[in-house]
Amino acid sequence: MGDHLEKSQHALLNEGDENEMEIFGYRTQGCRKVLCLIGSILSLGMLPLVFYWRPAWRVWANCVPCSLQDADIVLLKTTDEFKMYSWKRVIWISLSALSSTSGLSPDHPLITDEECIINRAIRKPDLKVRYIKVQKIRYVWNNLEGQFQKIGSLEDWLSSAKIHQKFGLGLTSEEQEIRRLICGPNAIDVEITPIWKLLIKEVLNPFYIFQLFSVCLWFSEDYKEYALAIILMSVISIALTVYDLRQQSVKLHHLVESHNSITVSVCERKAGAQDLESRLLVPGDLLILTGSRVQMPCDAILIDGSCVVDEGMLTGESIPVTKTPLSETASSAPWKMQSEADPRRHVLFCGTEVIQAKAAGSGTVRAVVLQTGFNTAKGDLVRSILYPKPMNFKLYRDAIRFLLCLVGTATIGMIYTLCVYVLSKEPPEEVVRKALDVITIAVPPALPAALTTGIIYAQRRLKKKGIFCISPQRINVCGQLNLVCFDKTGTLTRGGLDPWGVVPCDQSGFQAVHSFASGKALPQGPLCAAMASCHSLILLDGTIQGDPLDLKMFEATKWEMTVSGKDFHIKETLAQTTVVKPPDTVGQVPAEGLAIVHQFPFSSALQRMTVIVQEMGGGRLAFMKGAPERVASFCQPDTVPTTFISELQIYTTQGFRVIALAYKKLEVDCPTATLMREKVESDLIFLGLLILENRLKEETKPVLEELTSARIRTVMITGDNLQTAITVARKSGMVSEGQKVILVEANEATGSSSASLSWKLVEEKKHGLFGSQDTYINIREEVPENGREGNYHFALSGKSFHVISQHFSSLLPKILINGTIFARMSPGQKSNLVEEFQKLDYFVGMCGDGANDCGALKMAHVGISLSEQEASVASPFTSKTPNIECVPHLIKEGRAALVTSFCMFKYMALYSMIQYVGVLLLYWCESREATCLKSELLQEQRDNLLTVYNISPNNTQDTCCEFSCSDFPSVKTKTNSLSNYQFLFQDLAITTLIGVTMNLNGANPKLVPFRPAGRLISPPLLLSVILNILLSLAMHIVGFILVQKQPWYITEFHSVCPVRNESVSALTTPPNIPEKTRSNSTFASFENTTIWFLGTINCIIVALVFSKGKPFRQPTYTNYIFVLVLILQMGVCLFILFADIPELHRRLDLLCTPVLWRIYILIMISCNFAVSLAVEKAIIENRALWIAVKRCFGYQSKSQYRIWQRNLADDSSWPPLNQTSYSDMQGVSYSNPVFESNEEQL
């Protein structure tokens, strides 16, 4: 029974998806709720606050476990490494309102069909539906399968025939009402969060709760100046944060607001077409698209007609994309899998703009609503902004541990304080106040604000360089990058491709190159016709628009483009058809032009596109263009020249982009609509090669050289030809001179043979044999000596990467360690590759132009988009300058920000420990003096007075000679601690100013070949903090003990500075001590004065010692404001130390000491400064010393990529050149957690 309950209580939500979660069922229990209510009252609101911080505790306290079917509360836990909890209430929907208006009953045909999830969710006979809402998505309870399932989209299992049959005529009004009630509105509602909500959420942050506690404590101790200063700082910080969040909320609201107020035409099954507000759309509705410039309010499958769509919102490039209808086939396979082509070519995505809608014949352009609301592509993008994935950077986890260590230290201080004050019999309220005060001293409330300022300054410097950041916390992560992936086209090379020439071919082979630079017109013929028609260009408002490559290719032909009018009559050809015509009628056919009647659009996965054209007064032709290796595979073998490989090699080795062209004649009588792509793309005639020039950007080579010199790996991920990618890698310096490139080629299993993997050395400028139908590379058979020494790079295609991932997973990490060139990679493969690098504990950056790189940009630790389109919202960083110069800038600023964070951690820790040590010493002094004051001081005062008035010590029976503490205000019990003004001077005038200005150092302009430590608990950082704490402790103890050994030291509160004697004015005034020099402060003492000067000046010199310059930041002296602040602070402290101004001493609760003692204080501080600086420079920052220590103790990095590098260095058989491996060979599978890195500590 227990096992059954456990299984029914727990399930997975979104299994296999990126946002997978565990879901647990709970039922609220009345008695538990009452107990929690009582606990909330008794704890004065602390219990609800704890529940707010820990949602799971709230559920566990108020509810009992139960099955998901009976639950009224569900607890959700993410399955990633963060294990974050949240809870949701189960909501009921009743369809009873529909039963009265539509005659809906449990046996109604609309809800008896249990093929669709909506009907399975309706509980019978009461017609109710249970659902939860998680991150804006609805999940209904499937009564048949017993699980929560996502609602708001058509089922994935639907075939194309089923979609046409079931939704081709639209839904009935009853179906619409049911779906509308269950699926919710088709709206991407991002409400503008009220200011009071943002304020409460910010104020309930644990940091501000601790500040509230500190402020209340300080007010109780009359430390109101610093309390007011902290309140002011907190109010400003909260106000800025709330303002920023409010602005983001407003911007996001305006971004999606227009989506929710669109009027569309919907076809209802019985009533026909009618206008409807887009909020009322449901999955399955039939949209009718008319006109142009239509914003899509949902995701929809095109089932009739064709559309040209601007998908700039999704892809980052405002290039028109042609959408084709989903054909009705007899196949029962899901519509997404009915062909090898990308199913997205049939989908009109929400947020995109339909530029042109073309009906088939006299019909209309129709599309079935696929997904609504936040289920859509745009909704998913908005959700990724609303619910970003938490960042797992060890610095922030270490920061929490660091604060917990400070809390632990404060706890020890609390126990010490309690013991001291209890033994000295202080009032209980004083004991509690002093004990709590230790917490606010040991845990600095200003720490988070000081850390934030460093990131703000770095963000401001990046903005000046044209780099914009939407996730400031990732700036620190940039400092740890050790591998950067680059897209090629538009990123490393120029975005525009200029036609260089064409290489025609005929039965005798390739002909002479026709160079466009010659100015001669391209001869008319099938090759020219292919270039003029095989594209997705459109004519809009008299301007040709489309892919830049297609545009350059078309312009090179000198042809013209028009749109057919109403008098255009060709069988099966749409009105408004694109027609291309040659500039004159001279030359070969076609003379009158070509009408593009059908397109099979280009996709990265297929690496080709095909069009069907109608000759004016002639037959039908099919033209194909695409990757040379792909196009050649569809051609008749005898039409492909025998020198194809070597000819291709000539141009790809020079870095040219090469596109192949082919064509065939089609049967005139065959209807276009019935032609399958597989049939059209077969037995083609090879026409030739189009050569396009794709030059490197001027900034590419210097930047890659800079990264390489800094020992940051660079990797190319491109969709281009493998040989072209290798050539670009060589030219850009990604592969240095003398380094070898090894081709890793994998083939899928065919028939009885297993999947194979071969290793071949790529030779430059030499022609070899043709080894594969898909790859044309020159190969060397001999093995160079340096190839065994790790001086090599692997190059492989997307197909090989897929085969290796599937069949050779044990070899994948070995290949990735030296993998540099990845060509023919699809967008999904780019994301997978970035993830695989992360599994090896690399900190991965990704730089792309935003076209097909959005997934990889989002997956990487640091994504840098060179596109300013809306798609760049998926990337934390966007560069206004469209070249890769931004990458080293970002890494430099990241390193500087990271080091600044460590400096601030160290400084704030030491500042708090300086105060902590000083206060605890004074507490000990107070307890000692409190017990001996009445005995020693009163006796001393009594003897002095008796001597003055010549009273015999034996004659003391007279009551006039009896004294008590109440008779001597000057000998009352002391409060030996720092006074409020002393604290204020240290906290505000010293530490706050240093915290604001220490972070102003800019980044070092040179990238050094090592990274800063990535963790607070790294040995150098810990040792630095510990040694400086010990030095400060030693200095304080020495000063504390020495001051008590001085001949002028007495425990009475007065100055020992030379003053003018005055007569005794009262019986309670000691002789020879003028009243003007006596301190009325309860804090002033020689111990207090010494400790305060030592601590205050130590805070200044520690800031100078900890302020790091090179190698990651600019030298400290370049931070003029910081240096000026230190000079002013030191000058003020020395002035207070040496100036004999009684009023100043009285304000700061200080006592005047002999000049010689002041010099002793300076000597102690100077010695501490010298030792601290020497330790920091000679030990902490001595990289060579730490490397020697690591070697001495045999320490080796635990990062996965380091482990693999060591293993491969010892493997004499690696790389296995000129060998072939098969998937049936034994191997160890490879896996390790994503993102959980064990980076180098030093």
Side-chain angles (χ1 to χ4, degrees):
M1 179 67 183
D3 291 342
H4 175 71
L5 178 61
E6 186 176 349
K7 289 179 181 178
S8 61
Q9 189 225 355
H10 168 255
L12 281 176
L13 204 65
N14 302 322
E15 187 172 0
D17 290 351
E18 184 183 358
N19 57 342
E20 182 183 82
M21 299 181 185
E22 289 183 87
I23 181 170
F24 304 88
Y26 285 88
R27 186 172 57 251
T28 307
Q29 201 170 51
C31 61
R32 285 176 174 249
K33 287 190 70 175
V34 172
L35 289 174
C36 288
L37 181 61
I38 295 171
S40 301
I41 296 171
L42 295 178
S43 64
L44 301 178
M46 282 304 298
L47 188 61
L49 193 60
V50 172
F51 287 163
Y52 174 78
W53 292 333
R54 290 288 182 267
W57 294 6
R58 181 193 185 281
V59 175
W60 295 335
N62 286 273
C63 310
V64 293
C66 69
S67 66
L68 287 168
Q69 186 170 359
D70 301 323
D72 59 359
I73 297 288
V74 294
L75 183 65
L76 301 160
K77 183 177 77 171
T78 60
T79 56
D80 55 18
E81 66 270 29
F82 303 101
K83 309 297 181 188
M84 295 178 65
Y85 282 96
S86 61
W87 64 273
K88 298 293 176 184
R89 197 177 300 279
V90 178
I91 304 170
W92 286 90
I93 300 174
S94 176
L95 303 183
S96 56
L98 294 180
S99 62
S100 58
T101 57
S102 306
L104 197 65
S105 61
D107 55 353
H108 195 284
L110 284 179
I111 60 175
T112 52
D113 177 17
E114 293 192 341
E115 273 192 348
C116 93
I117 296 175
I118 290 179
N119 291 344
R120 294 181 184 183
I122 301 173
R123 194 175 73 175
K124 305 164 183 71
D126 52 358
L127 301 181
K128 287 186 177 182
V129 178
R130 301 170 69 235
Y131 79 92
I132 55 175
K133 195 172 184 179
V134 182
Q135 294 183 353
K136 304 289 186 180
I137 299 291
R138 284 193 183 192
Y139 298 85
V140 295
W141 178 255
N142 187 327
N143 294 289
L144 199 63
E145 298 183 14
Q147 62 180 353
F148 281 103
Q149 288 185 327
K150 187 187 294 187
I151 199 73
S153 59
L154 292 184
E155 292 79 358
D156 289 335
W157 57 264
L158 288 171
S159 65
S160 61
K162 201 80 172 176
I163 290 173
H164 278 269
Q165 175 189 346
K166 195 169 185 178
F167 307 110
L169 298 176
L171 299 173
T172 64
S173 58
E174 292 84 1
E175 286 177 307
Q176 289 176 332
E177 289 294 336
I178 294 172
R179 289 173 179 255
R180 205 168 286 148
L181 195 60
I182 296 176
C183 298
N186 171 44
I188 303 177
D189 283 321
V190 179
E191 63 276 1
I192 299 177
T193 312
I195 293 177
W196 65 268
K197 276 189 178 181
L198 293 172
L199 194 61
I200 290 176
K201 185 176 181 179
E202 189 66 20
V203 168
L204 291 183
N205 186 296
F207 161 62
Y208 288 117
I209 297 297
F210 174 69
Q211 279 199 338
L212 179 63
F213 159 77
S214 302
V215 166
C216 293
L217 184 64
W218 292 334
F219 272 118
S220 71
E221 295 179 335
D222 203 31
Y223 185 35
K224 50 184 178 295
E225 291 86 357
Y226 189 58
L228 290 172
I230 288 293
I231 289 174
L232 180 62
M233 289 168 58
S234 299
V235 167
I236 293 173
S237 176
I238 291 172
L240 289 175
T241 304
V242 169
Y243 175 79
D244 189 41
L245 291 173
R246 173 78 173 187
Q247 289 297 102
Q248 290 181 20
S249 180
V250 170
K251 285 180 182 178
L252 195 56
H253 173 78
H254 291 325
L255 180 68
V256 301
E257 185 180 22
S258 59
H259 159 273
N260 301 322
S261 55
I262 299 173
T263 301
V264 293
S265 180
V266 178
C267 179
E268 191 182 317
R269 185 169 295 235
K270 296 178 181 177
Q274 56 183 355
D275 289 340
L276 201 66
E277 189 181 349
S278 62
R279 296 180 64 92
L280 301 177
L281 289 176
V282 295
D285 267 332
L286 185 63
L287 292 177
I288 297 179
L289 303 174
T290 56
S292 60
R293 299 293 180 186
V294 177
Q295 289 283 340
M296 284 300 298
C298 60
D299 288 354
I301 306 173
L302 191 64
I303 63 170
D304 197 7
S306 63
C307 293
V308 179
V309 183
D310 179 359
E311 293 188 343
M313 191 277 295
L314 298 178
T315 65
E317 290 186 354
S318 295
I319 297 173
V321 178
T322 302
K323 299 291 182 177
T324 57
L326 177 70
S327 57
E328 185 176 0
T329 62
S331 172
S332 60
W335 68 274
K336 290 182 181 179
M337 302 173 64
Q338 73 175 19
S339 71
E340 63 172 348
D342 189 348
R344 291 180 299 177
R345 67 195 175 102
H346 308 303
V347 180
L348 306 172
F349 292 104
C350 177
T352 60
E353 185 180 36
V354 178
I355 299 174
Q356 201 174 70
K358 295 181 181 179
S362 59
T364 56
V365 180
R366 299 180 302 152
V368 175
V369 175
L370 176 64
Q371 296 176 134
T372 57
F374 281 95
N375 293 285
T376 61
K378 184 173 182 178
D380 189 55
L381 184 62
V382 174
R383 285 200 311 125
S384 69
I385 300 172
L386 291 173
Y387 308 101
K389 188 175 182 179
M391 185 173 48
N392 187 17
F393 188 38
K394 289 197 172 182
L395 170 65
Y396 302 113
R397 285 184 290 169
D398 289 345
I400 300 299
R401 293 169 186 166
F402 172 79
L403 290 174
L404 291 176
C405 288
L406 291 181
V407 170
T409 306
T411 304
I412 296 172
M414 281 182 63
I415 296 171
Y416 165 82
T417 305
L418 287 171
C419 295
V420 166
Y421 277 85
V422 168
L423 290 175
S424 61
K425 299 182 180 179
E426 291 290 333
E429 61 275 10
E430 184 69 15
V431 175
V432 172
R433 191 161 57 243
K434 290 294 181 185
L436 293 176
D437 203 24
V438 172
I439 298 179
T440 64
I441 293 171
V443 184
L447 176 60
L451 292 175
T452 304
T453 54
I455 296 175
I456 291 173
Y457 293 152
Q459 188 176 8
R460 189 176 65 183
R461 289 192 293 267
L462 286 172
K463 190 174 181 180
K464 288 181 180 178
K465 293 174 181 175
I467 303 170
F468 300 93
C469 175
I470 62 171
S471 179
Q473 297 302 322
R474 288 193 184 260
I475 294 176
N476 276 340
V477 185
C478 295
Q480 283 293 290
L481 289 183
N482 53 3
L483 186 149
V484 183
C485 301
F486 294 97
D487 179 37
K488 184 183 75 68
T489 307
T491 303
L492 298 177
T493 59
R494 293 176 181 176
L497 290 170
D498 296 316
W500 182 84
V502 291
V503 187
C505 81
D506 56 22
Q507 295 179 352
S508 61
F510 284 110
Q511 305 300 305
V513 178
H514 173 87
S515 174
F516 291 112
S518 65
K520 296 180 181 179
L522 185 65
Q524 299 298 318
L527 179 60
C528 184
M531 292 173 58
S533 61
C534 193
H535 52 68
S536 57
L537 300 175
I538 63 167
L539 191 65
L540 189 65
D541 299 328
T543 305
I544 301 175
Q545 295 185 8
D547 187 281
L549 187 150
D550 287 348
L551 193 57
K552 291 282 186 182
M553 180 180 70
F554 178 76
E555 288 174 349
T557 65
K558 308 295 184 182
W559 282 38
E560 300 170 353
M561 181 181 292
T562 59
V563 176
S564 62
K566 294 181 180 179
D567 57 344
F568 185 78
H569 298 293
I570 293 181
K571 187 179 179 182
E572 295 185 47
T573 303
L574 310 179
Q576 300 295 310
T577 295
T578 300
V579 178
V580 291
K581 296 180 179 180
D584 53 55
T585 58
V586 179
Q588 299 180 20
V589 291
E592 299 180 11
L594 303 171
I596 304 172
V597 296
H598 191 76
Q599 290 183 8
F600 297 104
F602 175 83
S603 74
S604 300
L606 299 179
Q607 300 174 1
R608 67 184 187 274
M609 83 165 291
T610 304
V611 296
I612 299 175
V613 300
Q614 175 72 53
E615 293 180 295
M616 300 297 190
R620 291 196 173 182
L621 304 173
F623 290 108
M624 175 190 285
K625 83 168 191 297
E629 56 267 31
R630 296 296 293 159
V631 172
S633 66
F634 291 102
C635 292
Q636 300 172 19
D638 58 336
T639 65
V640 180
T642 56
T643 58
F644 175 80
I645 306 160
S646 57
E647 192 77 18
L648 179 66
Q649 189 90 31
I650 290 171
Y651 300 105
T652 56
T653 51
Q654 298 179 62
F656 287 111
R657 178 81 177 269
V658 182
I659 293 174
L661 299 157
Y663 90 113
K664 71 181 290 188
K665 294 183 178 180
L666 300 175
E667 298 175 8
V668 179
D669 298 331
C670 185
T672 305
T674 61
L675 285 174
M676 300 299 294
R677 184 166 191 167
E678 293 78 9
K679 184 177 180 181
V680 175
E681 296 177 338
S682 62
D683 295 327
L684 299 172
I685 298 172
F686 192 80
L687 288 173
L689 301 174
L690 171 64
I691 314 299
L692 299 118
E693 200 171 13
N694 189 202
R695 296 178 181 176
L696 283 176
K697 293 181 179 178
E698 294 177 357
E699 305 82 6
T700 296
K701 191 169 184 177
V703 168
L704 294 181
E705 288 175 349
E706 184 180 11
L707 294 176
T708 302
S709 65
R711 293 185 182 175
I712 296 172
R713 274 192 65 186
T714 54
V715 173
M716 183 193 300
I717 313 176
T718 178
D720 206 346
N721 175 276
L722 182 56
Q723 183 61 69
T724 303
I726 292 173
T727 305
V728 171
R730 290 191 189 278
K731 284 186 174 182
S732 64
M734 194 174 282
V735 176
S736 304
E737 290 184 16
Q739 292 184 324
K740 303 300 177 182
V741 176
I742 298 173
L743 173 65
V744 182
E745 187 177 10
N747 293 300
E748 287 276 10
T750 55
S752 59
S753 63
S754 303
S756 62
L757 182 64
S758 60
W759 317 77
K760 299 172 185 177
L761 188 65
V762 178
E763 179 194 13
E764 293 184 81
K765 301 179 182 178
K766 287 189 180 180
H767 298 182
L769 298 176
F770 171 55
S772 168
Q773 183 63 27
D774 292 330
T775 310
Y776 308 98
I777 298 293
N778 290 319
I779 304 299
R780 283 181 61 177
E781 299 299 329
E782 66 270 18
V783 181
E785 292 298 325
N786 60 358
R788 298 289 186 189
E789 299 172 1
N791 198 20
Y792 59 89
H793 299 265
F794 288 129
L796 59 153
S797 65
K799 186 195 77 171
S800 296
F801 176 74
H802 174 73
V803 174
I804 293 168
S805 302
Q806 293 290 320
H807 302 287
F808 301 93
S809 58
S810 61
L811 293 176
L812 184 59
K814 294 183 178 182
I815 294 171
L816 294 183
I817 292 300
N818 288 89
T820 301
I821 303 161
F822 297 85
R824 296 299 188 208
M825 299 286 283
S826 68
Q829 287 174 333
K830 289 184 179 182
S831 300
N832 293 339
L833 180 61
V834 168
E835 185 177 355
E836 291 298 331
F837 276 126
Q838 288 172 330
K839 289 181 182 180
L840 291 173
D841 292 339
Y842 281 109
F843 275 87
V844 183
M846 175 68 197
C847 183
D849 60 0
N852 294 313
D853 308 312
C854 289
L857 291 170
K858 197 173 178 181
M859 177 63 68
H861 290 108
V862 176
I864 311 161
S865 172
L866 304 184
S867 167
E868 295 188 53
Q869 298 292 332
E870 287 182 16
S872 64
V873 80
S875 175
F877 299 94
T878 301
S879 174
K880 194 173 182 180
T881 307
N883 61 59
I884 63 171
E885 279 185 328
C886 59
V887 175
H889 287 320
L890 200 54
I891 295 174
K892 291 170 192 173
E893 289 295 346
R895 288 181 173 185
L898 191 57
V899 171
T900 299
S901 297
F902 290 142
C903 291
M904 286 311 306
F905 264 111
K906 289 166 62 176
Y907 177 74
M908 297 303 286
L910 209 63
Y911 143 72
S912 62
M913 287 297 103
I914 288 170
Q915 279 195 347
Y916 178 77
V917 167
V919 168
L920 292 188
L921 281 173
L922 292 176
Y923 282 177
W924 179 81
C925 176
E926 178 177 348
S927 69
R928 178 180 60 79
E929 290 179 352
T931 57
C932 68
L933 190 59
K934 291 182 182 179
S935 60
E936 293 182 6
L937 292 185
L938 290 181
Q939 184 62 43
E940 183 181 350
Q941 291 279 49
R942 183 174 181 272
D943 291 345
N944 287 339
L945 291 174
L946 290 174
T947 302
V948 170
Y949 292 101
N950 295 319
I951 300 175
S952 172
N954 296 324
N955 187 17
T956 58
Q957 299 300 319
D958 198 320
T959 57
C960 69
C961 296
E962 294 296 329
F963 307 107
S964 66
C965 286
S966 62
D967 297 317
F968 298 94
S970 63
V971 296
K972 63 187 177 182
T973 303
K974 295 186 289 182
T975 304
N976 219 354
S977 179
L978 297 180
S979 70
N980 288 350
Y981 282 107
Q982 289 173 336
F983 273 124
L984 187 66
F985 189 88
Q986 285 186 350
D987 293 341
L988 208 56
I990 303 296
T991 306
T992 303
L993 287 177
I994 287 174
V996 170
T997 58
M998 184 191 277
N999 301 325
L1000 287 171
N1001 284 51
N1004 186 6
K1006 182 180 178 182
L1007 271 178
V1008 293
F1010 52 90
R1011 299 175 295 160
R1015 303 192 63 178
L1016 275 173
I1017 60 174
S1018 62
L1021 290 170
L1022 286 178
L1023 187 63
S1024 175
V1025 172
I1026 292 170
L1027 287 179
N1028 278 282
I1029 288 175
L1030 292 177
L1031 285 172
S1032 298
L1033 178 62
M1035 182 182 69
H1036 279 76
I1037 292 175
V1038 168
F1040 184 78
I1041 294 174
L1042 283 181
V1043 74
Q1044 296 176 349
K1045 301 293 184 182
Q1046 300 305 306
W1048 44 263
Y1049 173 81
I1050 57 175
T1051 53
E1052 170 58 19
F1053 311 119
H1054 62 272
S1055 171
V1056 296
C1057 297
V1059 292
R1060 179 174 54 86
N1061 286 340
E1062 296 181 8
S1063 60
V1064 178
S1065 60
L1067 183 66
T1068 58
T1069 304
N1072 302 323
I1073 301 176
E1075 186 173 357
K1076 287 183 180 180
T1077 66
R1078 191 179 73 242
S1079 172
N1080 292 321
S1081 171
T1082 60
F1083 294 96
S1085 69
F1086 292 119
E1087 294 94 341
N1088 172 288
T1089 301
T1090 301
I1091 292 293
W1092 186 80
F1093 275 118
L1094 289 175
T1096 304
I1097 300 178
N1098 196 24
C1099 285
I1100 299 173
I1101 65 172
V1102 162
L1104 184 60
V1105 170
F1106 283 169
S1107 181
K1108 305 284 186 196
K1110 292 184 177 181
F1112 302 112
R1113 303 202 306 169
Q1114 290 181 354
T1116 303
Y1117 61 79
T1118 61
N1119 188 351
Y1120 305 116
I1121 298 176
F1122 175 63
V1123 173
L1124 181 63
V1125 165
L1126 291 186
I1127 292 172
L1128 289 175
Q1129 289 175 336
M1130 184 62 75
V1132 170
C1133 288
L1134 293 178
F1135 175 79
I1136 296 171
L1137 179 62
F1138 286 99
D1140 294 331
I1141 304 176
E1143 182 61 22
L1144 180 61
H1145 287 178
R1146 187 184 67 79
R1147 286 282 184 183
L1148 290 173
D1149 298 294
L1150 300 172
L1151 293 183
C1152 187
T1153 58
V1155 175
L1156 184 60
W1157 179 246
R1158 306 178 205 182
I1159 295 174
Y1160 284 164
I1161 290 176
L1162 276 185
I1163 291 173
M1164 285 186 281
I1165 290 171
S1166 300
C1167 291
N1168 182 69
F1169 172 66
V1171 175
S1172 177
L1173 189 62
V1175 166
E1176 200 72 17
K1177 298 297 181 184
I1179 299 177
I1180 306 303
E1181 296 181 15
N1182 190 337
R1183 180 174 169 80
L1185 175 64
W1186 287 104
I1187 292 174
V1189 169
K1190 286 167 62 178
R1191 288 174 180 167
C1192 179
F1193 287 94
Y1195 171 81
Q1196 291 182 319
S1197 171
K1198 296 179 182 177
S1199 298
Q1200 287 292 322
Y1201 72 92
R1202 290 292 190 194
I1203 295 172
W1204 282 106
Q1205 284 174 345
R1206 291 194 294 268
N1207 292 340
L1208 294 179
D1210 298 333
D1211 188 354
S1212 60
S1213 64
W1214 187 265
L1217 291 177
N1218 301 316
Q1219 295 181 19
T1220 302
S1221 307
Y1222 295 93
S1223 59
D1224 55 357
M1225 296 177 65
Q1226 294 297 319
V1228 181
S1229 62
Y1230 158 72
S1231 65
N1232 65 359
V1234 183
F1235 301 122
E1236 188 60 37
S1237 66
N1238 295 295
E1239 66 268 22
E1240 282 188 283
Q1241 304 301 305
L1242 303 173

